[in-house]
Amino acid sequence: MSEFQNPWPAPLATRPLSATVTIPGSKSLSNRYLILAAMGQHPVTLVGLLRSRDTDLMMGALRSLGVEFQVDPDDETTVRVTPPSSGRFTGDVDVYCGLAGTVMRFVPGLAMFADGPVRFDGDAQAYARPMKPVLDGLEQLGAHIEYHGEPGRLPFTLTPPVASDGMHAPAHTVSIDASGSSQFISGLLLIGARLPGGLELQHTGDHLPSLPHIRMTVADLQSAGVAVDVDEEHHRWRVHPGSVQLPDRVMVEPDLSNAAPFLGAALIAGGTVSVPYWPRETTQPGGLLPGILQAMGARIEWNDGPWSEGVAAAEDAPVAATLTVSGNGVIHGLGRFDMSAAGEIAPSIAALAALADAPTQLVGIAHLRGHETNRLAALVTEIRRIGAEAEELADGIEIRPVPREQLHGAVMETYADHRMATFAAMIGLTVPDIAVVDVATTRKTIPDFVGLWSAMLD
């Protein structure tokens, strides 16, 4: 990331935009592919892998468990992953999770197949993030969890079951309440095929957030040759036992959720912003973004093209297009809008709603209270800080915009949360004198957000 002040002065858009922004690879897909590659029998080359703090933390965690990585010297986003030759992971090691939810919730499952205890720790902010449902599930599978702080949270040590194959037989049925995060379900599904007899998983809560992320996990498992039966109506999954092996070469889609601030900028400043390589079909929740932006007044255009011109891709690589979003500076409020399927883009939609022509209620996102920070409380605080009105709802947030000329500059906090940083940058496009504390937190998923944002405005 280029050098910048802290707090970083968010650049003001002085004219309509005309920009093309190439978005780095999906964090959600990158970290799922890294987990699946680590569980295979043969090396896998990942092309277009996101290289950010979260994926580096995942690679570091897997390296601690005995997985090897070879990074292409000419392209750091091309990485060859070699699983342990024994099929067992290295125990008596430390895994550092940082603030990455996919690391702290996916990697403990791999520790079930280690040859000794694995100790997990992370950033101080990570101690507040819930872990208990996935760890309860692993305990149902025979793990022993020793907590070194508050029960159900980092730090802890996981000791795998004592068995020659690392697991107790026979098949396992696990019941957990994953109302707080879909990652609890995904973290268990990812290891299901390695369990003797497979895994039957039941979600016991009334609400299941971010179902598209679970569908992503199922689709990724299927791409690795794993059979999964899905009963979404009753919140049940059956993972059949068998080998886990991704194709020799896998292309990672761009992170569609990370496109939200850039595409949303076209509505705020007017003009057009294009994102190439947008997949026509995707399991990413960010795939819902074009429809949401259209409802807020954007014009959406597609320019069909190949997945990646000039890059060797698998023969069955998905067809993609360049997505262009155009706006005229007028943003429509959404009224009451269910964001449960794509909660991770809620901060970007909230930024647009704070600049809209009518109120918006974003609902179905109570689980955002358990993300990097309590995003609902943070959004309310920061929207009020610039002079608009907002309040928390039981399952979301209500935003009551005021005319833009009544908004005022402020130093906006980010709470060590990358999406709060991009939220503030969006506000800064139209409200003068916005400064963003710790914009470097965007490294979590966008290695050079400041550079990409500044280039968009050039």
Side-chain angles (χ1 to χ4, degrees):
M1 183 178 284
S2 55
E3 292 299 318
F4 46 80
Q5 298 171 244
N6 188 19
W8 172 67
L12 195 69
T14 57
R15 60 182 183 274
L17 304 179
S18 179
T20 296
V21 182
T22 300
I23 303 297
S26 162
K27 179 198 74 173
S28 296
L29 287 171
S30 291
N31 277 350
R32 282 165 172 78
Y33 287 147
L34 286 168
I35 289 279
L36 291 170
M39 290 198 296
Q41 295 80 49
H42 310 293
V44 173
T45 298
L46 303 177
V47 181
L49 186 76
L50 175 66
R51 297 305 308 273
S52 69
R53 186 179 189 231
D54 270 25
T55 52
D56 286 348
L57 284 165
M58 179 64 82
M59 291 169 67
L62 297 176
R63 193 176 285 113
S64 296
L65 294 174
V67 181
E68 296 180 1
F69 297 93
Q70 182 179 0
V71 180
D72 188 324
D74 298 321
D75 178 8
E76 69 169 3
T77 70
T78 297
V79 178
R80 184 175 174 84
V81 185
T82 302
S85 58
S86 67
R88 296 292 300 278
F89 294 107
T90 303
D92 197 22
V93 297
D94 296 295
V95 168
Y96 188 74
C97 304
L99 192 53
T102 49
V103 179
M104 66 181 70
R105 292 162 178 167
F106 291 0
V107 178
L110 297 191
M112 297 290 285
F113 309 101
D115 57 15
V118 179
R119 297 172 292 274
F120 290 84
D121 205 344
D123 293 356
Q125 298 97 324
Y127 291 6
R129 299 197 71 178
M131 289 279 301
K132 193 172 190 301
V134 70
L135 297 177
D136 283 351
L138 296 176
E139 286 186 311
Q140 292 175 50
L141 293 171
H144 173 71
I145 311 290
E146 179 185 0
Y147 293 106
H148 307 301
E150 183 180 347
R153 301 182 189 271
L154 288 167
F156 60 86
T157 296
L158 185 150
T159 301
V162 179
S164 60
D165 61 356
M167 296 301 306
H168 289 311
H172 296 275
T173 299
V174 172
S175 297
I176 63 168
D177 183 350
S179 301
S181 174
S182 66
Q183 290 177 350
F184 303 142
I185 296 291
S186 290
L188 294 169
L189 292 178
L190 285 166
I191 65 167
R194 289 282 298 266
L195 306 177
L199 174 69
E200 294 182 5
L201 180 59
Q202 174 74 61
H203 163 58
T204 60
D206 295 330
H207 172 68
L208 186 60
S210 197
L211 189 57
H213 273 120
I214 297 175
R215 291 172 181 156
M216 174 189 292
T217 300
V218 170
D220 293 342
L221 282 165
Q222 291 169 337
S223 72
V226 176
V228 186
D229 300 329
V230 178
D231 180 357
E232 288 186 354
E233 181 181 357
H234 298 99
H235 295 159
R236 291 195 199 105
W237 296 264
R238 170 80 164 95
V239 183
H240 294 263
S243 61
V244 179
Q245 184 61 56
L246 286 169
D248 292 344
R249 185 180 180 88
V250 177
M251 178 76 76
V252 182
E253 295 175 2
D255 194 313
L256 307 187
S257 294
N258 280 342
F262 298 94
L263 294 176
L267 275 76
I268 296 171
T272 64
V273 175
S274 298
V275 173
Y277 313 131
W278 192 284
R280 281 295 205 165
E281 295 184 6
T282 183
T283 56
Q284 292 189 61
L288 299 173
L289 184 60
I292 297 172
L293 296 181
Q294 190 171 41
M296 302 189 84
R299 187 172 73 252
I300 306 295
E301 297 178 83
W302 300 90
N303 178 19
D304 288 347
W307 166 252
S308 184
E309 190 172 321
V311 175
E315 291 182 2
D316 59 348
V319 173
T322 295
L323 171 66
T324 298
V325 172
S326 303
N328 59 9
V330 176
I331 303 171
H332 301 317
L334 289 170
R336 186 174 177 85
F337 194 83
D338 186 350
M339 288 289 298
S340 59
E344 63 186 29
I345 62 174
S348 294
I349 303 305
L352 295 174
L355 305 170
D357 58 8
T360 295
Q361 290 184 341
L362 302 178
V363 298
I365 51 174
H367 61 286
L368 295 192
R369 293 186 172 97
H371 278 227
E372 283 82 344
T373 187
N374 179 338
R375 282 185 180 160
L376 300 184
L379 286 168
V380 168
T381 298
E382 299 310 310
I383 289 170
R384 289 175 175 174
R385 194 187 300 276
I386 62 170
E389 299 176 7
E391 63 179 302
E392 284 190 60
L393 306 173
D395 67 340
I397 180 174
E398 180 174 5
I399 300 166
R400 297 183 296 276
V402 299
R404 292 193 194 186
E405 58 269 19
Q406 296 181 23
L407 300 176
H408 54 77
V411 176
M412 301 186 72
E413 297 291 340
T414 56
Y415 311 89
D417 187 332
H418 58 127
R419 300 211 189 275
M420 291 304 301
T422 56
F423 162 86
M426 293 175 72
I427 298 295
L429 288 171
T430 190
V431 179
D433 302 319
I434 293 291
V436 184
V437 173
D438 190 22
V439 73
T441 193
T442 53
R443 288 193 181 106
K444 178 180 175 71
T445 55
I446 308 178
D448 185 22
F449 172 75
V450 167
L452 289 173
W453 196 253
S454 300
M456 177 183 69
L457 295 170
D458 285 347

